[in-house]
Amino acid sequence: MSRRMEMRMLSLLAALMLMSAMFVPAASAAVVPEVSAEKISERLPPSPWETDHTIKVTHETMYLYTCGTLEVTEVYSGNEFQKKFGVPDFTRKRTIKVDPDTAVALNFKEGTREVRTEISFEVFTTEQDPPQILRSYDYPQWIYVKDGSIYLQLNEPINIAWENSNYNSVKQEIIEKGWTDYPLEDTYYVYDSVYGWIADDGLASDPFRLLGGYHIRIWSLSDGDIAGAAHQDSGVPHHAIGFENAEELVAGFYNDPDDTQWHVYQDDYALNSYIQSPYSNGMATRIFWS
Amino acid sequence: MNLRHFFSRAHKSRIVIPLVVAFVINVFMYLVLRPDSIFILAPRLGLIFYIFEYALIVIFASAPLCYGWFTKRPWESALFGVFLTTFLYIPGYLDVLHLLGFKEILESIAYGGASALFGGGAGYMAARGGLRHYIGAVTFVLIWAIILLSGIN
């Protein structure tokens, strides 16, 4: 490629960049609401159910690097776990491609297994032994990930709920804001006393959230209520980096001037699901239709 | 690989050009696909925006391949692929660094490293020319895309 050609290419790219800047008004940063000072619903001491299901386990994370692949295997095991579930462990396995230079930098040797072990306390349950949280709260508190028939509680709270409303209307308000009904996501669960374990239905500010975005999982419960877990995603690989801002953003979709029949009550219901980081005040916003 | 030769003054442009091009492309991606922009563009454009986004990601994924194909300079194209991927992930990492534990940091580095390797590999293979290398480059682009999708939850 000649120097003149290279300069043309660079000019073209610079023009492209300037054009893209025109798409984005400087004021756009104000679109996402700021988190305001608010009530906090502290995490309560564990309920009898949680205490009963909290198990002291040996949490072993194994890293095995072979042929450019890093295999991360997390195994939760212990006598108490084996006694309770009749299986030796709960396993989560992930495989990540790692180039040789990075492997050297991280001190991974080909074929060598590295193991990190810690003792931890986790909440485990089975399909037939669901959380009894619905007896004391109107909505589920936490969401769960599944491995076989065992469910592990995640540190991700339910932070929004709709009552006296229709599932499709709830989704419609979110989709109207340009969110997609088909985001790329992993499936998480909540437990309902009638329906059992329910898989989530996801909506997101865009399907990939390549450079970050907002994402909500919703579940239609047997009593007609709808529970939602909203969070802000970082850029890929995704991590939840905010709960309160995502909750306020979604709640705001029901507060438009034409939304006269939606009534939003910010941080209205204490679910005692406080998280320090990323911050969650443990209160769910409730939205009613009338 | 003769690094001394590659990094000599005569070849400085072979680092600067891929660096600048990768940076400019990422600035464009950042301006169009950051959440604030999507909040403005998605409601106005609807499905068109999502088609545009899909197309942009496909073009982005195949950019190292195109760069290698046009320039025919293998190491420069490999560098371009590495820079392009690295710049893409930096804003996300900066967002979450304070929230991550040792394990998550390790996974994130492995994730970014793997992506950068395959991005660079695609550029290198495409620049070598020949059907075999082009097939290799396309395979690397596909693996790059699979790694990207594996990070979306």
Side-chain angles (χ1 to χ4, degrees):
Chain A
M1 200 190 297
S2 70
R3 181 164 288 276
R4 182 181 287 182
M5 191 70 176
E6 283 167 358
M7 289 309 292
R8 277 186 189 168
M9 264 184 69
L10 283 176
S11 310
L12 186 71
L13 287 164
L16 203 64
M17 189 178 78
L18 285 171
M19 273 169 58
S20 66
M22 284 161 58
F23 272 117
V24 187
S28 65
V31 171
V32 180
E34 293 291 320
V35 176
S36 51
E38 55 206 347
K39 309 170 236 181
I40 288 177
S41 174
E42 291 286 356
R43 250 167 130 142
L44 293 175
S47 66
W49 185 90
E50 269 185 291
T51 309
D52 194 38
H53 289 75
T54 301
I55 296 172
K56 184 181 175 185
V57 284
T58 305
H59 178 195
E60 202 174 64
T61 310
M62 280 172 281
Y63 301 94
L64 174 63
Y65 180 70
T66 45
C67 306
T69 302
L70 178 66
E71 197 176 284
V72 184
T73 310
E74 284 182 273
V75 182
Y76 300 84
S77 62
N79 290 339
E80 208 181 330
F81 186 93
Q82 165 110 39
K83 208 168 133 189
K84 191 146 190 166
F85 297 111
V87 289
D89 54 55
F90 181 96
T91 305
R92 292 180 82 180
K93 212 171 201 177
R94 279 163 290 175
T95 307
I96 307 161
K97 296 273 175 205
V98 182
D99 65 281
D101 291 343
T102 309
V104 170
L106 295 173
N107 212 17
F108 286 127
K109 294 188 183 93
E110 182 73 23
T112 308
R113 192 181 294 267
E114 194 175 307
V115 184
R116 296 175 69 87
T117 307
E118 60 177 6
I119 301 295
S120 67
F121 291 85
E122 310 285 346
V123 178
F124 289 97
T125 190
T126 62
E127 271 174 359
Q128 275 71 40
D129 183 19
Q132 293 172 2
I133 293 159
L134 284 172
R135 289 184 187 171
S136 46
Y137 295 100
D138 287 353
Y139 322 104
Q141 268 183 306
W142 304 102
I143 67 177
Y144 290 77
V145 62
K146 180 184 175 182
D147 174 28
S149 62
I150 301 174
Y151 291 77
L152 170 66
Q153 182 180 296
L154 298 173
N155 219 17
E156 200 171 323
I158 295 294
N159 52 11
I160 193 158
W162 291 264
E163 289 212 5
N164 195 32
S165 57
N166 172 283
Y167 189 71
N168 289 329
S169 312
V170 165
K171 284 180 72 173
Q172 191 54 38
E173 288 292 329
I174 300 175
I175 291 166
E176 271 174 18
K177 297 292 177 184
W179 284 38
T180 176
D181 198 8
Y182 306 101
L184 293 173
E185 62 165 24
D186 289 347
T187 303
Y188 292 151
Y189 299 81
V190 296
Y191 184 77
D192 178 86
S193 53
V194 176
Y195 294 159
W197 292 98
I198 319 169
D200 77 81
D201 183 8
L203 295 128
S205 56
D206 86 289
F208 296 99
R209 302 168 317 283
L210 199 63
L211 296 165
Y214 294 85
H215 183 194
I216 185 168
R217 293 182 165 88
I218 59 173
W219 295 266
S220 180
L221 307 173
S222 59
D223 57 4
D225 295 346
I226 295 157
H231 65 270
Q232 182 187 2
D233 275 321
S234 67
V236 286
H238 285 162
H239 296 277
I241 55 172
F243 292 117
E244 289 305 314
N245 52 350
E247 177 186 336
E248 289 189 22
L249 176 71
V250 173
F253 295 166
Y254 301 82
N255 250 341
D256 287 337
D258 61 330
D259 293 332
T260 51
Q261 287 182 287
W262 290 109
H263 305 284
V264 177
Y265 299 91
Q266 288 279 357
D267 295 330
D268 184 50
Y269 190 85
L271 272 173
N272 299 108
S273 48
Y274 173 85
I275 300 172
Q276 195 175 16
S277 180
Y279 176 68
S280 165
N281 62 11
M283 305 287 296
T285 291
R286 292 208 289 182
I287 301 169
F288 296 82
W289 170 269
S290 66
Chain B
M1 182 184 162
N2 185 351
L3 287 177
R4 188 180 293 174
H5 169 74
F6 185 74
F7 288 105
S8 70
R9 281 186 71 173
H11 294 88
K12 208 178 274 177
S13 67
R14 295 194 179 176
I15 301 172
V16 175
I17 291 171
L19 184 81
V20 172
V21 175
F23 182 76
V24 170
I25 291 175
N26 270 287
V27 169
F28 174 77
M29 290 288 281
Y30 181 76
L31 288 174
V32 177
L33 294 185
R34 68 188 178 134
D36 291 341
S37 308
I38 289 171
F39 273 119
I40 293 167
L41 298 174
R44 285 167 177 75
L45 302 176
L47 186 63
I48 294 170
F49 177 76
Y50 293 128
I51 294 169
F52 173 68
E53 186 186 12
Y54 276 97
L56 208 56
I57 290 171
V58 170
I59 293 167
F60 187 90
S62 37
L65 190 151
C66 299
Y67 191 98
W69 188 56
F70 276 118
T71 63
K72 302 288 181 216
R73 293 200 286 255
W75 289 108
E76 183 181 322
S77 307
L79 271 183
F80 171 73
V82 170
F83 287 140
L84 190 75
T85 310
T86 307
F87 291 152
L88 175 72
Y89 292 135
I90 283 175
Y93 287 149
L94 294 179
D95 271 350
V96 296
L97 208 57
H98 63 291
L99 296 171
L100 301 181
F102 173 77
K103 197 174 72 189
E104 287 86 2
I105 289 176
L106 204 68
E107 284 173 8
S108 296
I109 291 172
Y111 180 91
S115 281
L117 173 79
F118 285 106
Y124 181 85
M125 299 287 259
R128 292 288 300 272
L131 184 64
R132 215 168 39 155
H133 288 113
Y134 287 138
I135 292 171
V138 171
T139 309
F140 275 25
V141 168
L142 290 176
I143 296 172
W144 185 94
I146 290 167
I147 294 171
L148 178 86
L149 295 179
S150 74
I152 295 174
N153 173 18

Coordinates of all heavy atoms in Angstrom, one line a residue, chain A residues 129-197:
Chain A
D129 N -36.9 -29.2 46.7 CA -36.8 -28.5 48.0 C -36.6 -27.0 47.8 O -35.5 -26.5 48.1 CB -35.6 -29.2 48.8 CG -35.5 -28.6 50.2 OD1 -36.4 -28.0 50.7 OD2 -34.4 -28.7 50.7
P130 N -37.6 -26.3 47.3 CA -37.4 -24.9 46.9 C -37.3 -24.0 48.1 O -37.7 -24.3 49.2 CB -38.6 -24.7 46.1 CG -39.7 -25.6 46.6 CD -38.9 -26.8 47.0
P131 N -36.8 -22.8 47.8 CA -36.8 -21.8 48.9 C -38.1 -21.5 49.4 O -39.1 -21.4 48.6 CB -36.1 -20.6 48.3 CG -36.2 -20.8 46.8 CD -36.3 -22.3 46.6
Q132 N -38.3 -21.2 50.7 CA -39.6 -20.9 51.3 C -39.7 -19.4 51.5 O -40.5 -19.0 52.3 CB -39.8 -21.7 52.6 CG -39.9 -23.2 52.4 CD -39.8 -24.0 53.6 OE1 -39.8 -23.4 54.7 NE2 -39.9 -25.3 53.5
I133 N -39.0 -18.7 50.7 CA -38.9 -17.2 50.9 C -40.3 -16.6 50.5 O -40.7 -15.7 51.2 CB -37.8 -16.6 50.0 CG1 -36.5 -17.1 50.5 CG2 -37.9 -15.1 49.9 CD1 -35.4 -17.0 49.5
L134 N -41.0 -17.2 49.6 CA -42.3 -16.7 49.2 C -43.3 -16.7 50.4 O -44.3 -16.0 50.3 CB -42.9 -17.5 48.0 CG -42.2 -17.2 46.7 CD1 -42.7 -18.1 45.6 CD2 -42.5 -15.7 46.3
R135 N -43.0 -17.4 51.4 CA -44.0 -17.4 52.6 C -43.8 -16.1 53.3 O -44.8 -15.7 54.0 CB -43.6 -18.6 53.5 CG -44.1 -19.9 52.9 CD -43.8 -21.1 53.8 NE -44.1 -22.3 53.1 CZ -43.8 -23.5 53.6 NH1 -43.3 -23.6 54.8 NH2 -44.1 -24.6 52.9
S136 N -42.7 -15.5 53.3 CA -42.5 -14.2 54.0 C -42.4 -13.0 53.1 O -42.5 -11.9 53.6 CB -41.3 -14.3 54.9 OG -40.2 -14.9 54.2
Y137 N -42.2 -13.2 51.8 CA -42.1 -12.0 50.9 C -43.1 -12.2 49.8 O -43.5 -13.4 49.5 CB -40.7 -11.9 50.3 CG -39.6 -11.6 51.3 CD1 -38.8 -12.6 51.8 CD2 -39.5 -10.3 51.8 CE1 -37.8 -12.3 52.7 CE2 -38.5 -10.0 52.7 CZ -37.7 -11.0 53.2 OH -36.7 -10.7 54.1
D138 N -43.5 -11.1 49.2 CA -44.5 -11.2 48.0 C -43.8 -11.7 46.7 O -44.4 -12.1 45.8 CB -45.1 -9.9 47.7 CG -46.1 -9.5 48.8 OD1 -46.4 -10.4 49.7 OD2 -46.6 -8.4 48.8
Y139 N -42.4 -11.6 46.7 CA -41.7 -11.9 45.5 C -40.5 -12.7 45.9 O -40.0 -12.7 47.0 CB -41.2 -10.6 44.7 CG -42.3 -9.5 44.8 CD1 -42.1 -8.4 45.6 CD2 -43.4 -9.6 44.0 CE1 -43.1 -7.4 45.7 CE2 -44.4 -8.6 44.0 CZ -44.2 -7.5 44.9 OH -45.1 -6.5 44.9
P140 N -39.9 -13.4 44.9 CA -38.6 -14.1 45.2 C -37.5 -13.0 45.6 O -37.6 -11.9 45.1 CB -38.2 -14.8 43.9 CG -39.4 -14.7 43.1 CD -40.3 -13.6 43.5
Q141 N -36.5 -13.4 46.3 CA -35.5 -12.5 46.7 C -34.3 -12.5 45.8 O -33.7 -11.5 45.4 CB -34.9 -12.9 48.1 CG -35.6 -12.2 49.3 CD -34.9 -12.7 50.6 OE1 -34.7 -13.9 50.8 NE2 -34.5 -11.7 51.3
W142 N -33.9 -13.7 45.4 CA -32.7 -13.9 44.7 C -32.9 -14.7 43.4 O -33.9 -15.4 43.4 CB -31.6 -14.6 45.6 CG -31.3 -13.9 46.8 CD1 -31.8 -14.3 48.1 CD2 -30.5 -12.8 47.0 NE1 -31.3 -13.4 49.0 CE2 -30.5 -12.5 48.4 CE3 -29.8 -12.0 46.2 CZ2 -29.8 -11.4 48.9 CZ3 -29.1 -10.9 46.7 CH2 -29.1 -10.6 48.1
I143 N -32.0 -14.7 42.5 CA -32.1 -15.6 41.4 C -31.1 -16.7 41.5 O -30.1 -16.6 42.2 CB -32.0 -14.8 40.0 CG1 -30.6 -14.2 39.9 CG2 -33.0 -13.7 40.0 CD1 -30.4 -13.5 38.5
Y144 N -31.3 -17.8 40.7 CA -30.5 -19.0 40.8 C -30.0 -19.5 39.5 O -30.6 -19.3 38.5 CB -31.4 -20.1 41.4 CG -31.8 -19.9 42.9 CD1 -32.8 -19.0 43.2 CD2 -31.2 -20.7 43.9 CE1 -33.2 -18.8 44.5 CE2 -31.5 -20.5 45.2 CZ -32.5 -19.6 45.5 OH -32.8 -19.4 46.9
V145 N -28.8 -20.2 39.6 CA -28.3 -20.8 38.4 C -28.4 -22.3 38.6 O -28.3 -22.8 39.8 CB -26.8 -20.4 38.1 CG1 -25.9 -20.8 39.3 CG2 -26.3 -21.0 36.8
K146 N -28.6 -23.1 37.6 CA -28.9 -24.5 37.7 C -27.7 -25.4 37.2 O -27.1 -25.1 36.1 CB -30.1 -24.8 36.8 CG -30.7 -26.2 36.8 CD -31.8 -26.2 35.8 CE -32.4 -27.6 35.6 NZ -33.5 -27.6 34.7
D147 N -27.5 -26.5 37.9 CA -26.5 -27.5 37.4 C -27.2 -28.9 37.7 O -27.3 -29.3 38.8 CB -25.2 -27.4 38.1 CG -24.3 -28.6 37.7 OD1 -24.4 -29.1 36.6 OD2 -23.4 -29.0 38.6
G148 N -27.7 -29.5 36.6 CA -28.5 -30.7 36.8 C -29.8 -30.4 37.6 O -30.6 -29.6 37.1
S149 N -29.9 -31.0 38.7 CA -31.1 -30.7 39.5 C -30.8 -29.9 40.7 O -31.7 -29.7 41.6 CB -31.8 -32.0 39.9 OG -31.0 -32.8 40.7
I150 N -29.6 -29.4 40.8 CA -29.2 -28.6 42.0 C -29.1 -27.1 41.6 O -28.6 -26.8 40.5 CB -27.9 -29.1 42.6 CG1 -28.0 -30.5 43.0 CG2 -27.5 -28.2 43.8 CD1 -26.8 -31.2 43.5
Y151 N -29.6 -26.2 42.4 CA -29.7 -24.8 42.2 C -28.8 -24.1 43.1 O -28.8 -24.3 44.3 CB -31.1 -24.3 42.3 CG -32.0 -24.8 41.2 CD1 -32.5 -26.1 41.2 CD2 -32.3 -24.0 40.1 CE1 -33.4 -26.6 40.2 CE2 -33.2 -24.5 39.1 CZ -33.7 -25.8 39.2 OH -34.5 -26.3 38.2
L152 N -28.0 -23.1 42.6 CA -27.1 -22.3 43.4 C -27.6 -20.9 43.4 O -27.8 -20.3 42.4 CB -25.7 -22.4 42.9 CG -24.6 -21.4 43.5 CD1 -24.4 -21.7 45.0 CD2 -23.3 -21.5 42.7
Q153 N -27.8 -20.3 44.6 CA -28.3 -18.9 44.7 C -27.2 -18.0 44.4 O -26.0 -18.1 44.8 CB -28.7 -18.7 46.2 CG -29.3 -17.3 46.4 CD -29.7 -17.2 47.9 OE1 -30.6 -17.9 48.4 NE2 -29.0 -16.3 48.6
L154 N -27.5 -17.0 43.5 CA -26.5 -16.0 43.0 C -26.7 -14.7 43.8 O -27.8 -14.5 44.4 CB -26.7 -15.7 41.5 CG -26.5 -16.9 40.6 CD1 -26.9 -16.5 39.2 CD2 -25.0 -17.3 40.6
N155 N -25.7 -13.9 43.9 CA -25.7 -12.7 44.6 C -26.4 -11.6 43.7 O -25.8 -10.5 43.4 CB -24.3 -12.2 45.0 CG -24.3 -11.6 46.4 OD1 -25.3 -11.8 47.1 ND2 -23.3 -10.9 46.7
E156 N -27.5 -11.9 43.1 CA -28.2 -11.0 42.2 C -29.6 -10.9 42.6 O -30.4 -11.9 42.6 CB -28.0 -11.5 40.8 CG -28.2 -10.4 39.8 CD -27.9 -10.8 38.3 OE1 -26.9 -11.6 38.1 OE2 -28.6 -10.4 37.4
P157 N -30.1 -9.7 43.0 CA -31.4 -9.6 43.6 C -32.5 -9.3 42.6 O -32.3 -8.8 41.6 CB -31.2 -8.4 44.5 CG -30.3 -7.5 43.8 CD -29.4 -8.4 43.0
I158 N -33.7 -9.7 43.1 CA -35.0 -9.2 42.4 C -35.1 -7.7 42.9 O -35.1 -7.5 44.1 CB -36.2 -10.0 42.9 CG1 -36.1 -11.5 42.4 CG2 -37.5 -9.4 42.4 CD1 -36.2 -11.7 40.9
N159 N -35.2 -6.8 42.0 CA -35.3 -5.4 42.4 C -36.4 -4.6 41.8 O -36.5 -3.4 41.9 CB -33.9 -4.7 42.2 CG -33.4 -4.8 40.8 OD1 -34.2 -5.3 39.9 ND2 -32.2 -4.5 40.5
I160 N -37.3 -5.3 41.1 CA -38.5 -4.6 40.5 C -39.6 -5.6 40.4 O -39.4 -6.8 40.2 CB -38.0 -4.0 39.1 CG1 -39.1 -3.0 38.6 CG2 -37.7 -5.1 38.1 CD1 -38.4 -2.0 37.6
A161 N -40.8 -5.1 40.6 CA -42.0 -6.0 40.6 C -43.2 -5.3 40.0 O -43.4 -4.1 40.3 CB -42.3 -6.6 42.0
W162 N -44.0 -6.0 39.3 CA -45.2 -5.4 38.7 C -46.4 -6.1 39.3 O -46.4 -7.3 39.4 CB -45.3 -5.6 37.2 CG -44.3 -4.7 36.5 CD1 -44.5 -3.5 35.9 CD2 -42.9 -5.1 36.2 NE1 -43.3 -3.1 35.3 CE2 -42.3 -4.1 35.4 CE3 -42.1 -6.2 36.5 CZ2 -41.0 -4.1 35.0 CZ3 -40.8 -6.2 36.1 CH2 -40.3 -5.2 35.3
E163 N -47.4 -5.4 39.7 CA -48.6 -6.0 40.3 C -49.9 -5.5 39.5 O -49.8 -4.4 38.9 CB -48.8 -5.6 41.7 CG -47.8 -6.3 42.6 CD -48.3 -6.6 44.0 OE1 -49.5 -6.4 44.3 OE2 -47.5 -7.1 44.8
N164 N -50.9 -6.3 39.4 CA -52.1 -6.0 38.8 C -51.9 -5.5 37.3 O -52.5 -4.6 36.9 CB -52.8 -4.8 39.6 CG -54.2 -4.7 39.2 OD1 -54.9 -5.6 38.8 ND2 -54.7 -3.5 39.2
S165 N -51.0 -6.2 36.7 CA -50.7 -5.8 35.3 C -50.6 -7.1 34.4 O -50.6 -8.2 34.9 CB -49.4 -5.0 35.3 OG -48.3 -5.8 35.8
N166 N -50.4 -6.8 33.1 CA -50.4 -7.8 32.2 C -49.0 -8.0 31.7 O -48.3 -7.1 31.4 CB -51.4 -7.4 31.0 CG -51.3 -8.3 29.8 OD1 -50.3 -8.2 29.1 ND2 -52.3 -9.1 29.7
Y167 N -48.6 -9.3 31.5 CA -47.2 -9.6 31.2 C -46.8 -8.9 29.9 O -45.7 -8.3 29.8 CB -47.1 -11.1 31.0 CG -45.7 -11.7 30.9 CD1 -44.8 -11.6 31.9 CD2 -45.2 -12.2 29.7 CE1 -43.5 -12.1 31.8 CE2 -43.9 -12.7 29.5 CZ -43.1 -12.6 30.6 OH -41.8 -13.1 30.5
N168 N -47.6 -9.0 28.9 CA -47.3 -8.4 27.6 C -47.2 -6.9 27.7 O -46.4 -6.3 27.0 CB -48.3 -8.8 26.5 CG -48.1 -10.3 26.1 OD1 -47.0 -10.8 26.2 ND2 -49.2 -11.0 25.8
S169 N -48.1 -6.3 28.5 CA -48.1 -4.8 28.6 C -46.8 -4.4 29.3 O -46.2 -3.4 28.9 CB -49.2 -4.3 29.5 OG -50.4 -4.9 29.0
V170 N -46.4 -5.2 30.3 CA -45.1 -4.9 31.0 C -43.9 -4.9 30.0 O -43.1 -4.0 30.0 CB -44.9 -5.9 32.1 CG1 -43.4 -5.8 32.6 CG2 -45.9 -5.6 33.3
K171 N -43.9 -5.9 29.2 CA -42.8 -6.0 28.2 C -42.9 -4.9 27.2 O -41.9 -4.4 26.7 CB -42.8 -7.4 27.5 CG -42.3 -8.5 28.4 CD -42.4 -9.9 27.7 CE -41.3 -10.0 26.7 NZ -41.3 -11.4 26.1
Q172 N -44.1 -4.6 26.8 CA -44.3 -3.6 25.7 C -43.7 -2.3 26.1 O -43.1 -1.6 25.2 CB -45.8 -3.5 25.4 CG -46.1 -2.7 24.2 CD -45.4 -3.2 22.9 OE1 -45.3 -4.5 22.8 NE2 -45.0 -2.3 22.1
E173 N -43.9 -1.9 27.3 CA -43.3 -0.6 27.8 C -41.8 -0.5 27.6 O -41.2 0.5 27.3 CB -43.7 -0.3 29.2 CG -45.1 0.0 29.5 CD -45.6 1.4 28.8 OE1 -44.7 2.3 28.8 OE2 -46.8 1.5 28.4
I174 N -41.2 -1.7 27.9 CA -39.7 -1.8 27.8 C -39.3 -1.8 26.3 O -38.3 -1.1 25.9 CB -39.2 -3.0 28.5 CG1 -39.6 -2.9 30.0 CG2 -37.7 -3.1 28.4 CD1 -39.2 -4.1 30.9
I175 N -40.0 -2.6 25.5 CA -39.6 -2.7 24.1 C -39.8 -1.4 23.4 O -39.1 -1.1 22.5 CB -40.5 -3.9 23.5 CG1 -40.0 -5.2 24.0 CG2 -40.4 -3.9 21.9 CD1 -40.9 -6.4 23.8
E176 N -40.8 -0.6 23.8 CA -41.1 0.7 23.2 C -39.9 1.6 23.3 O -39.8 2.6 22.6 CB -42.3 1.4 23.9 CG -43.6 1.0 23.2 CD -44.8 1.6 24.0 OE1 -44.6 2.5 24.9 OE2 -45.9 1.1 23.8
K177 N -39.1 1.4 24.3 CA -37.9 2.2 24.5 C -36.7 1.7 23.7 O -35.6 2.1 23.9 CB -37.5 2.2 26.0 CG -38.5 2.8 26.9 CD -38.7 4.3 26.7 CE -39.8 4.8 27.5 NZ -40.0 6.3 27.3
G178 N -37.0 0.8 22.8 CA -35.9 0.3 21.8 C -35.2 -0.9 22.4 O -34.2 -1.3 21.8
W179 N -35.6 -1.4 23.5 CA -34.9 -2.6 24.0 C -35.3 -3.9 23.2 O -36.4 -3.9 22.6 CB -35.3 -2.9 25.5 CG -34.7 -1.9 26.4 CD1 -34.4 -0.6 26.2 CD2 -34.2 -2.3 27.7 NE1 -33.8 -0.1 27.3 CE2 -33.6 -1.1 28.3 CE3 -34.1 -3.4 28.5 CZ2 -33.0 -1.0 29.6 CZ3 -33.6 -3.4 29.8 CH2 -33.0 -2.2 30.3
T180 N -34.4 -4.8 23.2 CA -34.7 -6.0 22.4 C -35.3 -7.1 23.3 O -35.0 -7.2 24.5 CB -33.4 -6.6 21.7 OG1 -33.8 -7.8 21.1 CG2 -32.3 -6.9 22.7
D181 N -36.2 -7.9 22.7 CA -36.8 -9.0 23.4 C -36.0 -10.3 23.3 O -36.3 -11.3 23.9 CB -38.2 -9.3 22.8 CG -39.1 -10.1 23.7 OD1 -38.7 -10.3 24.9 OD2 -40.2 -10.5 23.3
Y182 N -34.9 -10.2 22.5 CA -34.1 -11.4 22.2 C -32.6 -11.1 22.5 O -31.7 -11.2 21.6 CB -34.2 -11.8 20.8 CG -35.7 -12.0 20.4 CD1 -36.4 -11.0 19.6 CD2 -36.4 -13.2 20.8 CE1 -37.7 -11.2 19.3 CE2 -37.7 -13.3 20.4 CZ -38.4 -12.4 19.7 OH -39.7 -12.5 19.4
P183 N -32.3 -10.8 23.8 CA -30.9 -10.6 24.1 C -30.1 -11.9 24.2 O -30.7 -13.0 24.5 CB -30.9 -9.9 25.5 CG -32.1 -10.5 26.1 CD -33.1 -10.8 25.0
L184 N -28.8 -11.9 24.0 CA -28.0 -13.0 24.3 C -27.8 -13.1 25.8 O -27.3 -12.1 26.4 CB -26.6 -12.9 23.6 CG -26.7 -13.0 22.1 CD1 -25.4 -12.6 21.4 CD2 -27.2 -14.3 21.6
E185 N -28.1 -14.2 26.4 CA -28.0 -14.3 27.9 C -27.9 -15.7 28.3 O -28.3 -16.6 27.6 CB -29.2 -13.6 28.6 CG -30.5 -14.2 28.2 CD -31.7 -13.8 29.1 OE1 -31.6 -12.7 29.7 OE2 -32.6 -14.6 29.2
D186 N -27.5 -15.9 29.6 CA -27.6 -17.3 30.2 C -29.0 -17.3 30.9 O -29.5 -16.3 31.3 CB -26.5 -17.5 31.3 CG -25.2 -17.6 30.7 OD1 -25.1 -17.9 29.4 OD2 -24.2 -17.5 31.4
T187 N -29.5 -18.5 31.1 CA -30.8 -18.6 31.7 C -30.7 -18.8 33.2 O -29.9 -19.6 33.6 CB -31.6 -19.8 31.1 OG1 -31.7 -19.6 29.7 CG2 -33.0 -19.9 31.7
Y188 N -31.4 -18.0 33.9 CA -31.4 -18.1 35.4 C -32.9 -18.3 35.8 O -33.8 -18.1 35.1 CB -30.9 -16.8 36.1 CG -29.4 -16.6 35.8 CD1 -28.8 -15.3 35.8 CD2 -28.6 -17.7 35.7 CE1 -27.5 -15.1 35.6 CE2 -27.2 -17.5 35.5 CZ -26.7 -16.2 35.4 OH -25.3 -16.1 35.2
Y189 N -33.0 -18.7 37.1 CA -34.3 -19.2 37.6 C -34.8 -18.5 38.9 O -33.9 -18.0 39.6 CB -34.3 -20.7 37.8 CG -33.9 -21.5 36.6 CD1 -32.6 -21.6 36.2 CD2 -34.9 -22.1 35.9 CE1 -32.3 -22.3 35.0 CE2 -34.6 -22.9 34.7 CZ -33.3 -23.0 34.3 OH -33.0 -23.7 33.2
V190 N -36.1 -18.5 39.1 CA -36.6 -18.2 40.4 C -37.6 -19.3 40.7 O -38.1 -20.0 39.8 CB -37.3 -16.8 40.5 CG1 -36.3 -15.7 40.3 CG2 -38.5 -16.7 39.6
Y191 N -37.9 -19.4 42.0 CA -38.9 -20.4 42.4 C -40.3 -19.8 42.7 O -40.4 -18.8 43.4 CB -38.4 -21.2 43.6 CG -39.3 -22.3 44.0 CD1 -39.3 -23.5 43.2 CD2 -40.3 -22.2 45.0 CE1 -40.2 -24.5 43.5 CE2 -41.2 -23.2 45.2 CZ -41.1 -24.4 44.5 OH -42.0 -25.4 44.7
D192 N -41.3 -20.5 42.2 CA -42.7 -20.0 42.4 C -43.4 -21.2 43.1 O -43.2 -22.4 42.7 CB -43.3 -19.7 41.1 CG -44.8 -19.3 41.2 OD1 -45.0 -18.1 41.5 OD2 -45.7 -20.2 41.1
S193 N -44.2 -20.9 44.1 CA -44.8 -22.0 44.9 C -45.8 -22.9 44.0 O -46.0 -24.0 44.4 CB -45.6 -21.4 46.0 OG -46.5 -20.4 45.6
V194 N -46.3 -22.3 42.9 CA -47.2 -23.1 42.1 C -46.5 -23.7 40.8 O -46.6 -24.8 40.5 CB -48.5 -22.3 41.7 CG1 -49.4 -23.1 40.7 CG2 -49.2 -21.9 42.9
Y195 N -45.8 -22.8 40.1 CA -45.2 -23.2 38.9 C -43.9 -23.9 39.1 O -43.4 -24.5 38.1 CB -44.9 -21.9 38.0 CG -46.1 -21.1 37.5 CD1 -46.0 -19.8 37.2 CD2 -47.3 -21.8 37.4 CE1 -47.0 -19.1 36.7 CE2 -48.4 -21.0 37.0 CZ -48.3 -19.7 36.6 OH -49.4 -19.0 36.1
G196 N -43.3 -23.8 40.3 CA -42.0 -24.5 40.5 C -40.9 -23.5 40.0 O -41.0 -22.3 40.0
W197 N -39.8 -24.1 39.5 CA -38.7 -23.3 39.0 C -39.0 -22.7 37.6 O -39.4 -23.5 36.7 CB -37.4 -24.1 38.9 CG -36.9 -24.5 40.3 CD1 -37.1 -25.7 40.9 CD2 -36.1 -23.7 41.2 NE1 -36.5 -25.7 42.1 CE2 -35.9 -24.5 42.3 CE3 -35.6 -22.4 41.1 CZ2 -35.2 -24.1 43.4 CZ3 -34.9 -22.0 42.2 CH2 -34.6 -22.8 43.3

